[in-house]
Amino acid sequence: MHTDTESLTEGFLQPFPPKAAQLIVTIYGDIVEPRGGVLWMGDLISLCASFGVNESLVRTAVSRLVSKGQLTGEREGRRSFYALTPDAREEYHLAADLFYGPEDTDCGWLLTHCTEAADQAILMRFGFASLEGNVFIGADRPGRPLLGTTFRATDVPNRGDLKNIASSAFGLGSLARDYAEFVSRFGPMQDLVARGLLPRSALLFRLALVHAYRGIRLRDPRLPRSVLPKDWSGYEARSLFAALYRNLSPGADGYIAQNLMNQDGLLAEEPDAVLKRMQALSSSI
């Protein structure tokens, strides 16, 4: 028997009403980017309404995303379609690796001496932290910016205990609490999925899951595993996210293929990009 009551749905979708622009980014990143990057405005409005975001807020947020160069619109008859711009689509594709790609492995460190305020802001946005003065430290992950004077290290000499440095400089305590709250909030979803959900609910649950996980994962500095606690809550959160995403996807992707449109017709159910996501997530369960 399918579980599809309003009370259960609202419990996951509306306890923390999302901002319109952030929700639209989640929808385009999860559903639209791997299927060509284009969605009918009517479908976007309908999806956002399930999260308590009304049409006026959606249209305003879309206009702002257009002005920022992330979306571009075109009309066909009475219908409007909005597409990710090439730059935005590449950005969304790279960001997707954080959520749907393989788990983080161990890595070394980047140490940077950077004096320019603008460059320092970029470093902080990419997960670096200030050690003292103009010295910054970050995990040596692909795509990290190399600004100022930078060198790589597997250890940081004369800096004391790296685990203590990591905890204090990167605020791991707060991040660990956020991951633990994510597990507490979405853990019960496993039982509902096991009992069965109608396809639309499966899609909405998956969007709620991705939106919540995305908000934490983008703030994760992705430190070397060697400095993280053995009971790091991010591991459990990742495993839960991967399991729920995979279990929700048959119904969610089926709904997408039967109901959501771009200018050429219904969106594809399982394009190659979606299949690759499923394969990568299977290693995290």
Side-chain angles (χ1 to χ4, degrees), residues 23 54 60 66 111 119 153 201 215 247:
L23 178 59
N54 64 41
T60 298
V66 169
L111 285 172
D119 288 344
S201 288
N247 291 334

Side-chain angles (χ1 to χ4, degrees), residues 134-177:
N134 295 320
V135 178
F136 294 80
I137 185 172
D140 189 3
R141 301 286 183 191
R144 293 288 164 92
L146 303 179
L147 302 172
T149 303
T150 302
F151 67 89
R152 289 182 163 90
T154 55
D155 200 350
V156 184
N158 302 320
R159 292 290 180 181
D161 184 348
L162 268 178
K163 288 190 176 183
N164 291 335
I165 292 174
S167 181
S168 60
F170 291 94
L172 293 187
S174 175
L175 191 63
R177 288 191 293 274

Side-chain angles (χ1 to χ4, degrees), residues 71-236:
L71 292 177
T72 182
E74 60 179 71
R75 292 187 65 87
E76 288 196 5
R78 299 179 63 182
R79 289 184 169 179
S80 297
F81 297 86
Y82 284 88
L84 290 168
T85 62
D87 286 346
R89 192 171 183 195
E90 177 64 17
E91 179 184 339
Y92 282 37
H93 178 74
L94 293 174
D97 287 341
L98 294 177
F99 321 128
Y100 315 111
E103 287 189 276
D104 290 334
T105 58
D106 208 0
C107 68
W109 296 91
L110 292 172
L111 285 172
T112 298
H113 181 262
C114 181
T115 58
E116 297 294 328
D119 288 344
Q120 291 177 356
I122 293 173
L123 290 173
M124 298 294 284
R125 184 161 57 88
F126 277 87
F128 284 73
S130 176
L131 282 181
E132 56 181 43
N134 295 320
V135 178
F136 294 80
I137 185 172
D140 189 3
R141 301 286 183 191
R144 293 288 164 92
L146 303 179
L147 302 172
T149 303
T150 302
F151 67 89
R152 289 182 163 90
T154 55
D155 200 350
V156 184
N158 302 320
R159 292 290 180 181
D161 184 348
L162 268 178
K163 288 190 176 183
N164 291 335
I165 292 174
S167 181
S168 60
F170 291 94
L172 293 187
S174 175
L175 191 63
R177 288 191 293 274
D178 289 343
Y179 274 131
E181 289 175 3
F182 173 86
V183 171
S184 177
R185 176 182 172 191
F186 286 94
M189 187 183 281
Q190 296 180 100
D191 292 335
L192 298 179
V193 174
R195 288 159 54 186
L197 292 170
L198 293 176
R200 179 176 172 82
S201 288
L203 176 59
L204 296 178
F205 275 37
R206 194 179 76 179
L207 286 172
L209 176 80
V210 172
H211 192 73
Y213 187 71
R214 173 181 172 271
I216 306 171
R217 181 65 169 159
L218 287 175
R219 294 185 285 109
D220 191 330
R222 303 173 63 201
L223 299 183
R225 295 175 72 95
S226 56
V227 303
L228 295 174
K230 291 183 179 180
D231 61 349
W232 174 240
S233 57
Y235 299 147
E236 185 178 4

